[in-house]
Amino acid sequence: MGRPAKRTTRGAVVRDPIDSGVKQEEDDPVDLLTRQIKKTRKNKPESDLSFVGPPVPAIEAHKRWPTRYKYSFKKKKGTVAEISSNGGLNEEEEEVRQAKCHYTRAKIDGFLYSLGDDAYVKAEDGNLDYIARIVELFESINGEPCFTAQWFYRAEDTVIKDHADIVDKRRVFLSDVKDDNPLNCIVSKVKIARVPPNMDLEAKEKNIPPCDLYYDMKYSLPYLTFANMSDETTRRESDASSTISSESGSNSPNESSEMRLLDLYSGCGAMSTGLCIGASLSGIKLVTRWAVDINPHACKTLKFNHPETQVRNEAAEDFLLLVKEWAKLCQYFSLCAVDKELDQSLNFLSEEEEEEGEDDDDEGANVPDKEFEVERLLAVCYGDPNKVKKPGMHFKVRWKGYGPSEDTWEPIEGLSKCKEKLKEFVTKGYKSNILPLPGDVDFICGGPPCQGVSGFNRFRNPKAVLEDVKNRQLLIFMDIIKYLKPKYVLMENVVDILKFSGGFLGRYAVGRLVSMDYQARLGMMAAGSYGLPQFRMRVFLWGAHPYKKLPQYPLPTHEVVARSVIPSEFEEITVAYGKNQPCQLEKAIHLGDAISDLPLVTNDESGDERTYATVARTEFQKHIRLKRNDVVCLSTTQTASRPSLLYDHQPFKVNKDDYERVCLIPKKKGANFRDLPGVLIGPDNKVQWDPSMERVMLKSGKPLVPDYAMQFKHGTSTKPFGRLWWDEIVSTVVTRAQPHNRTLLHPLQDRVLTIRENARLQGFPDCYRLFGPVKERYIQVGNAVAVPVGIALGYTFGLACQGLSDDHPLTTLPFKFPNCLGHSSSTLGEEEEDSH
C-alpha cells in the first residue's frame, strides 16, 4: 500500500505533500480515518508529457476545484490596522492558489488521457502498479504537470489482505482516498467497468462487460467499510435487485410487518434479545424465529424466555446439513419453488426404491408394518441420535399404540413406506416455519466460537489458523450465511480474532462476506460505554445485502475507563467519539449502581428464587427490576400476572479451603491475597514470602496462601482472591466463578458474585430466568453478548432497515440503558411495593 501517513491525534492525520508545491490539509479529526499515501514513482524520467487543449476557464475551475483557489484576508502592508466604518479591520483580499490552472486532457508518451479515465500508476520496485482514477489534471504552482488520483484498492490492499484469493481477482474497490502525483507516474490505461451489485454471483458474472477489472463497491478506511455506491444509478439497480430477491424467498415477510432473525451460537439468547429490543425502539418488529446452540441448558433458558422461538439444540454444522435436506423435502412435496442450484437427489423416496422395499423385508421401514405402524412424526434432526455412527436426516417417530417413552429416532431411509406421514409432517413444518429456507431469513446474528485464537490456548498455531478444528465454526457460520442468504448479518467475537496471527480470522470473516457480495463494516465496542459496570471489549462485524443500507455503529452513551489492549492496526475501528468531537456522556456505571440493592446471601445459598426484600436504590436498579410483561420483547400471558421475584441469586459454592481464605480477605477496596499473613510486596511490586514468620496453614493442613497465587503472572498479579469494590467496574464477566486468578469477591460478603449479580453486569433484566446447574448458568451469562450492546446495535439495524442511515459509520442513540428496557417507565413506588 505504500508508506503510512503521519499520525497525530486519534482520527486526525497529516498527509505528506508531494514535491509539486501543493498544500495538503489535515483531515477532519472526527473522520476516524487512517490514510495511507501510495509511494508512487515516475514511470520514465524523460516521458513526453503535455496538456492538451486550452486550460479550463478560471471561473469554471474555481467552481469545480474550489480548494485549489482559496482566498484569505491579510492586513495591508505599511498601514496600522484601524477599525473601519463597517466595524471590521482594514484588510485586503488575496487569492492563495494551489494550482496555476486546470486541464481536461493530457498526452503521455503519445497516449491521450481525459478526466475520469482509469490508469495504472507506477509503484515502488517489486510491487504491482497502483490503480487510479484521474480526477484532476493541473499545473502546480511550481510548473510541474500533475494529476489527482482517486485510488482503487485490490482485495489484498484492504483489510482482507492474505484472503484476497477468495475474492474475484478482477474485482477492485473504489476508495475515497485522493492525493496528488506527478503526471509521469502514469504507466498506461486500464479498462475498469462498473457493474451493479447482485447477490446472485452467477448472474453478476454474466453482467460483467469486457474489461480488465470491475468494481461494484467502495472501500473506506473508517471502520474498514465495504459499501455500495450511493448514486441514483445504483439505487435503481438496487431496487431491481431487491425486487428479484424478495420474490425468490419462499416465505419472505414484509419488512414493515415483521423481520425474522436466526440466532446462531445463540447461548441463552442475550444477543438476539438485545437486537429485538433495539429494533423495536426504532420502529421495526424483529422476531427471533430460530435459534441454534449446542448447549442444552442454554437452549432451555432461551426457550423459556422466548417461547415463540424454534430453539434447536444441535451443532451448527448439523443445522446447516438439516436445512439443506429440509429444502429438498419441501421441493419434493411441491411446497416451494424449485431451486435449480439445489441438489434434488432424494433417492430414498423414489418409486424405484419404494418398489424394491416391497420385495425385500429388510428394505424400507426399520420394522415390519404388521408389527409397528407410524402414528405421526414429531421432530426432525440431522446427526446420529442413535449413536450408531450413521449420521443423516432422522425423524422422531410416535408409534401407533405406544406412548412417548417408546418414541424413537428413525433415519429417513426407513420411512420410504410412510410417504404420506412424511408429507404431512413436512407440510405442517413448512407452514409453521420450523426450519428456514433460503430467502426466509432477514437477519442472522451469532458469535461463532474461535477457541483456536484464545490467549488461554497454549497449542494455537498461527501458521494454520483455518485448519485448527477449534476455529472451524467461523467457516460454518459463513457457510450458513452463503446458503440462507439473509439480508443482514451481525457477527460478534473476542478481540483476539484481531490480535492473533495478524488478525487472520477477522480478515477472513470480512473477506467471506465481501466475496458473497455483502457490504461489510468492522468495529469494536466496549460494553461499559453503553451503561454497564464492566469494560468488556468485543468485535462486531456488520454485513448487508448490496441493495440495503449498511447499519452504523452506535456511539457511546456512558463514560468508561479503558481496560483492554487493542491491536494497533485495528485501533481506529474502536467505536468512540473523536478527540475533538463534542459529546455529552453519562457518568460511568459502577458496581454499586448495579448490585447494591440485592439481598445478602451466603456461600452456601441454594435457592433459585426469592422476593427482593429490598428497594431499588438507583435508576439502574429500578429499570433492571421491571416485571417480565413490562420488558420489551419479553411479555407473555402465562407470566404477566406473577409478582416480581428475584431469580438466580446464588453464588458458586467455593470449597472449604477457599472459603476460609475468602473470609480472611479484608473488606476494603483493592484487597486480595496479598493482604493475607505471610506475604510481602517487594520494590518491584512482586510478591515474596515473609522470612520472619512460618507459613500460615488452614484447618485442613493446606497453606493459607497457595503457591499458584504467588506464582500467577510471575508474582505481579493482584487478581487471586481479589475483592471488588462499589466504585469500580469489572474488566469482563467470566464463565468460571473460581476466585483463584480472578477478582470476583463481593465487596462486603464472603463469597463470589452470584449468577444474578453477573447477569446484571451483562444487562440482563432480573426477570430473565436462567436454567441448568450453577456452573452452567455462570457459563451462559459469561458467554453472552451484553444486552445493552445488543439493544444499541438493534436500534441502528432498525434505522438501516427503514433507509434512515447515512453513509457515516457512526450514529448517536436517542436513549440510554436501562431506561430503554420497558414499554413505559414504571414508578419506583410500584417496584418497592412488589419487593415486599
Side-chain angles (χ1 to χ4, degrees):
M1 286 289 295
R3 60 184 175 178
K6 296 178 181 177
R7 298 185 62 182
T8 55
T9 58
R10 182 180 182 277
V13 182
V14 178
R15 294 186 282 169
D16 295 329
I18 64 171
D19 296 333
S20 62
V22 177
K23 182 182 178 182
Q24 301 282 358
E25 296 187 347
E26 185 175 338
D27 293 318
D28 182 356
V30 182
D31 195 28
L32 300 177
L33 180 58
T34 303
R35 295 189 185 274
Q36 289 183 314
I37 302 304
K38 297 179 183 292
K39 194 170 184 180
T40 57
R41 296 189 62 183
K42 293 183 178 181
N43 186 24
K44 296 179 182 178
E46 303 300 327
S47 296
D48 180 18
L49 305 173
S50 63
F51 290 115
V52 177
V56 176
I59 295 177
E60 182 183 345
H62 281 58
K63 288 182 179 179
R64 293 179 66 177
W65 301 285
T67 57
R68 301 290 186 189
Y69 305 96
K70 291 184 177 180
Y71 291 90
S72 65
F73 294 91
K74 295 184 178 181
K75 297 176 184 177
K76 291 182 179 179
K77 292 183 179 181
T79 63
V80 178
E82 298 176 351
I83 302 297
S84 62
S85 59
N86 63 1
L89 292 175
N90 189 6
E91 297 173 325
E92 66 179 7
E93 185 178 296
E94 181 180 274
E95 183 180 26
V96 181
R97 287 177 174 264
Q98 294 186 11
K100 284 186 177 180
C101 55
H102 277 77
Y103 294 84
T104 59
R105 293 185 298 170
K107 185 175 286 187
I108 306 171
D109 292 329
F111 291 93
L112 188 65
Y113 293 81
S114 301
L115 289 179
D117 282 351
D118 301 319
Y120 286 117
V121 179
K122 187 67 175 177
E124 295 176 282
D125 290 341
N127 293 332
L128 291 173
D129 287 334
Y130 301 130
I131 309 166
R133 173 159 294 167
I134 301 170
V135 294
E136 282 186 66
L137 291 166
F138 64 95
E139 183 179 349
S140 74
I141 57 175
N142 295 336
E144 182 175 4
C146 297
F147 77 101
T148 299
Q150 181 174 2
W151 298 107
F152 284 96
Y153 287 176
R154 298 180 177 93
E156 56 264 36
D157 297 330
T158 70
V159 65
I160 297 172
K161 281 194 173 180
D162 296 336
H163 302 289
D165 58 332
I166 63 178
V167 178
D168 189 340
K169 292 293 183 184
R170 298 170 297 163
R171 190 179 182 190
V172 292
F173 305 90
L174 185 63
S175 78
D176 54 3
V177 177
K178 301 176 184 178
D179 53 43
D180 306 326
N181 300 270
L183 192 60
N184 64 352
C185 290
I186 293 177
V187 176
S188 63
K189 284 187 178 182
V190 56
K191 187 174 182 180
I192 305 179
R194 178 171 174 178
V195 301
N198 196 331
M199 296 304 296
D200 185 340
L201 300 183
E202 188 175 322
K204 173 183 169 181
E205 179 69 25
K206 293 178 180 178
N207 288 329
I208 299 175
C211 60
D212 300 310
L213 304 167
Y214 73 89
Y215 74 103
D216 56 359
M217 283 188 187
K218 61 183 179 181
Y219 177 67
S220 303
L221 291 171
Y223 298 91
L224 305 174
T225 301
F226 292 85
N228 60 16
M229 314 300 289
S230 57
D231 60 31
E232 288 301 323
T233 302
T234 298
R235 288 196 190 98
R236 289 194 296 271
E237 294 165 348
S238 298
D239 290 342
S241 298
S242 176
T243 302
I244 294 171
S245 178
S246 63
E247 290 174 353
S248 64
S250 58
N251 288 344
S252 185
N254 189 321
E255 288 183 9
S256 62
S257 58
E258 175 182 295
M259 298 196 72
R260 303 179 189 185
L261 174 69
L262 166 59
D263 190 353
L264 293 172
Y265 312 97
S266 61
C268 62
M271 188 174 185
S272 52
T273 296
L275 289 171
C276 291
I277 293 174
S280 175
L281 294 172
S282 75
I284 290 290
K285 184 179 181 182
L286 178 66
V287 179
T288 308
R289 275 283 165 249
W290 310 274
V292 180
D293 198 90
I294 200 168
N295 186 315
H297 306 293
C299 287
K300 185 176 180 181
T301 294
L302 198 155
K303 187 65 177 178
F304 175 86
N305 292 286
H306 299 282
E308 74 284 357
T309 301
Q310 295 283 349
V311 181
R312 301 201 59 87
N313 176 211
E314 61 195 352
E317 51 265 46
D318 288 339
F319 174 76
L320 175 57
L321 292 170
L322 177 61
V323 294
K324 287 182 177 181
E325 295 300 309
W326 181 255
K328 293 179 187 179
L329 281 173
C330 290
Q331 291 183 181
Y332 181 85
F333 291 117
S334 303
L335 298 171
C336 60
V338 174
D339 186 347
K340 295 180 181 179
E341 295 181 5
L342 190 64
D343 178 11
Q344 300 293 312
S345 59
L346 282 173
N347 295 330
F348 48 82
L349 292 177
S350 67
E351 293 182 5
E352 180 181 352
E353 184 169 343
E354 195 169 331
E355 289 173 0
E356 291 176 359
E358 292 174 358
D359 296 334
D360 189 345
D361 289 340
D362 293 330
E363 297 291 325
N366 275 7
V367 289
D369 288 343
K370 292 181 180 179
E371 296 183 28
F372 298 96
E373 183 180 348
V374 173
E375 179 179 313
R376 66 180 186 273
L377 304 181
L378 305 173
V380 61
C381 75
Y382 193 100
D384 186 20
N386 298 320
K387 310 298 181 186
V388 294
K389 298 183 179 180
K390 289 185 178 180
M393 194 175 197
H394 287 70
F395 289 83
K396 193 172 187 179
V397 177
R398 173 70 49 83
W399 300 101
K400 192 170 184 178
Y402 293 86
S405 61
E406 283 79 31
D407 293 345
T408 59
W409 284 98
E410 301 295 330
I412 191 169
E413 292 84 356
L415 300 175
S416 60
K417 293 183 180 180
C418 308
K419 190 182 294 186
E420 286 304 315
K421 297 293 183 182
L422 188 60
K423 181 178 181 181
E424 179 183 312
F425 176 83
V426 175
T427 302
K428 183 178 179 181
Y430 171 81
K431 291 180 178 178
S432 59
N433 294 292
I434 64 169
L435 287 166
L437 297 172
D440 282 354
V441 183
D442 296 296
F443 190 178
I444 288 181
C445 72
C450 299
Q451 290 106 335
V453 304
S454 171
F456 294 103
N457 180 9
R458 294 177 294 168
F459 306 103
R460 56 186 186 171
N461 185 354
K463 296 182 180 179
V465 183
L466 287 177
E467 296 174 17
D468 190 336
V469 67
K470 293 184 177 179
N471 298 327
R472 183 167 174 256
Q473 295 304 315
L474 178 57
L475 282 72
I476 294 168
F477 181 74
M478 291 297 168
D479 288 345
I480 293 174
I481 291 168
K482 182 178 181 179
Y483 179 71
L484 291 176
K485 296 181 175 63
K487 298 179 181 71
Y488 297 93
V489 174
L490 179 63
M491 189 190 86
E492 176 267 352
N493 226 295
V494 295
V495 178
D496 279 343
I497 70 164
L498 301 182
K499 291 181 180 179
F500 182 61
S501 191
F504 189 90
L505 285 186
R507 299 181 193 281
Y508 171 80
V510 176
R512 278 295 302 271
L513 284 181
V514 172
S515 71
M516 292 185 278
D517 244 22
Y518 280 90
Q519 302 172 83
R521 176 173 281 154
L522 196 64
M524 289 190 291
M525 299 170 64
S529 296
Y530 301 89
L532 291 179
Q534 68 160 327
F535 181 68
R536 195 180 187 87
M537 181 71 83
R538 290 294 183 266
V539 177
F540 291 90
L541 172 61
W542 274 119
H545 268 197
Y547 57 84
K548 296 293 182 184
K549 283 285 188 180
L550 183 59
Q552 300 166 291
Y553 288 109
L555 280 163
T557 56
H558 291 71
E559 296 174 352
V560 70
V561 178
R563 288 191 177 188
S564 179
V565 178
I566 299 169
S568 58
E569 188 177 358
F570 292 97
E571 65 182 8
E572 294 294 340
I573 68 170
T574 304
V575 178
Y577 283 93
K579 183 176 180 181
N580 300 318
Q581 189 175 2
C583 60
Q584 291 183 333
L585 298 177
E586 296 289 321
K587 291 183 178 179
I589 301 295
H590 295 125
L591 183 69
D593 299 321
I595 70 168
S596 62
D597 64 315
L598 293 175
L600 183 148
V601 294
T602 66
N603 181 59
D604 298 320
E605 180 60 48
S606 60
D608 276 342
E609 62 179 54
R610 66 183 66 242
T611 58
Y612 283 93
T614 58
V615 297
R617 299 171 183 173
T618 66
E619 279 293 307
F620 184 99
Q621 295 164 12
K622 167 189 169 183
H623 289 90
I624 214 74
R625 285 185 175 207
L626 288 176
K627 290 182 181 179
R628 183 177 179 82
N629 58 312
D630 288 330
V631 178
V632 177
C633 302
L634 283 187
S635 60
T636 57
T637 55
Q638 57 266 44
T639 59
S641 60
R642 295 186 64 180
S644 293
L645 292 175
L646 179 61
Y647 304 104
D648 308 303
H649 187 42
Q650 58 183 124
F652 170 76
K653 182 179 179 180
V654 300
N655 61 45
K656 291 182 179 180
D657 289 341
D658 284 342
Y659 180 66
E660 196 173 338
R661 293 174 177 124
V662 168
C663 290
L664 293 175
I665 302 296
K667 295 177 177 60
K668 65 177 184 179
K669 184 175 181 178
N672 54 66
F673 82 101
R674 294 181 169 209
D675 295 289
L676 297 176
V679 180
L680 294 179
I681 312 299
D684 56 357
N685 199 35
K686 292 185 177 180
V687 292
Q688 59 189 33
W689 298 111
D690 187 346
S692 67
M693 63 181 297
E694 292 186 6
R695 195 166 180 179
V696 180
M697 309 304 285
L698 298 170
K699 294 176 184 178
S700 66
K702 294 181 180 179
L704 171 62
V705 181
D707 291 338
Y708 62 76
M710 298 290 288
Q711 297 165 2
F712 188 58
K713 299 290 185 182
H714 306 290
T716 62
S717 178
T718 60
K719 291 182 178 180
F721 296 93
R723 197 176 286 282
L724 294 161
W725 205 247
W726 301 118
D727 61 353
E728 295 177 335
I729 70 167
V730 302
S731 176
T732 188
V733 172
V734 294
T735 56
R736 296 179 71 248
Q738 295 280 7
H740 299 161
N741 58 2
R742 295 283 183 179
T743 303
L744 300 175
L745 302 186
H746 188 277
L748 299 178
Q749 299 171 36
D750 293 322
R751 58 171 177 80
V752 298
L753 293 186
T754 66
I755 302 165
R756 179 50 54 190
E757 286 166 338
N758 272 4
R760 281 196 175 184
L761 301 188
Q762 287 277 59
F764 284 96
D766 285 355
C767 60
Y768 203 96
R769 294 194 62 178
L770 299 152
F771 291 86
V774 169
K775 283 186 178 180
E776 289 290 339
R777 282 182 273 169
Y778 273 103
I779 290 172
Q780 291 174 45
V781 173
N783 282 334
V785 172
V787 174
V789 174
I791 292 174
L793 290 165
Y795 180 79
T796 60
F797 158 77
L799 294 182
C801 287
Q802 300 170 80
L804 301 177
S805 303
D806 56 32
D807 290 336
H808 198 277
L810 304 176
T811 190
T812 56
L813 295 172
F815 56 80
K816 294 178 176 64
F817 186 82
N819 307 55
C820 56
L821 281 175
H823 297 285
S824 59
S825 58
S826 301
T827 64
L828 187 58
E830 291 174 343
E831 290 298 316
E832 292 176 355
E833 184 178 348
D834 289 333
S835 68
H836 292 288

